Amino acid sequence: MNTIPILMYHNLGHPPQGAKLRNLYVRAGAFARQMRLLRLLGFKGLSMSAAMPYLRGETAGRVAVITFDDGYLDTLETALPVVRTHGFSATCYVVSRRTGQYNDWDAVALNVRKPLMSAAQVREWQAAGMEVGAHSRTHPHLPTCTDAELQAEVASSKTDLEDLIETPVTQFCYRYG
Ligand SMILES: [Zn+2]
């Protein structure tokens, strides 16, 4: 039986002064070491789509899935160069109606406004060979959404992103894991 690790990152860098839930941050140096270690251990880091044949047991191999939640600017600026250095790919789950804005869904709770990738930056991530996955339109609390809200948040976040990157979006990440 082959176990496939799924690595889930949020922010890369040093947590800003006063930020809560500081374990959402992984320092840039630590991230670089983690990716290097994966490669040294013989793992190939893959996006969720690229890893699907392995997850379904159709293909064997030592792979790890690399994911980033929410679409923060530091995913593009800090993670991307490292992921590429090792010849890995990764999935970033983007909140489709918040591109170029900030984490308004938890900025108060976390006491930090974190910049999100702009539309152009999401395209840049995809053009670099990385995957864009959907993560709702506005990051609402899905269990309390009406059916119509769910349709907009879940289904339309996919079409929003497909319009943006002109590529099918096949992955969705439920918020908060
Ligand atoms: Zn999220």
Side-chain angles (χ1 to χ4, degrees):
M1 190 65 192
N2 195 5
T3 306
I4 298 177
I6 299 179
L7 307 178
M8 189 183 87
Y9 294 97
H10 280 84
N11 288 104
L12 293 189
H14 196 91
Q17 195 76 33
K20 293 178 185 151
L21 270 184
R22 298 167 77 85
N23 58 4
L24 288 174
Y25 289 81
V26 173
R27 311 297 161 90
F31 178 73
R33 284 193 299 278
Q34 289 166 13
M35 293 300 110
R36 199 171 64 230
L37 185 62
L38 271 185
R39 205 184 64 186
L40 288 172
L41 292 172
F43 283 93
K44 184 161 176 64
L46 292 178
S47 68
M48 190 57 88
S49 282
M52 285 310 288
Y54 298 88
L55 289 162
R56 287 195 290 251
E58 298 159 4
T59 309
R62 210 166 160 85
V63 301
V65 185
I66 306 174
T67 71
F68 299 91
D69 255 32
D70 301 336
Y72 295 108
L73 188 51
D74 56 42
T75 300
L76 183 76
E77 292 182 338
T78 308
L80 179 60
V82 178
V83 170
R84 292 183 88 175
T85 293
H86 295 289
F88 293 171
S89 61
T91 300
C92 181
Y93 297 102
V94 172
V95 182
S96 69
R97 293 287 168 98
R98 290 294 178 267
T99 52
Q101 300 178 39
Y102 70 96
N103 58 316
D104 66 350
W105 58 90
D106 64 2
V108 171
L110 298 182
N111 196 33
V112 61
R113 281 188 176 209
K114 302 183 280 193
L116 294 159
M117 281 187 238
S118 68
Q121 287 164 330
V122 172
R123 282 194 292 262
E124 205 181 311
W125 168 263
Q126 197 254 343
M130 304 294 141
E131 180 177 35
V132 174
H135 192 44
S136 82
R137 273 185 158 168
T138 65
H139 215 284
H141 184 243
L142 292 172
T144 53
C145 283
T146 64
D147 286 354
E149 286 165 346
L150 279 178
Q151 180 69 26
E153 287 289 344
V154 180
S156 303
S157 70
K158 168 182 158 75
T159 48
D160 283 351
L161 293 169
E162 287 175 337
D163 290 345
L164 176 66
I165 62 171
E166 297 173 340
T167 302
V169 170
T170 61
Q171 304 297 322
F172 179 84
C173 175
Y174 191 81
R175 71 171 232 165
Y176 304 130

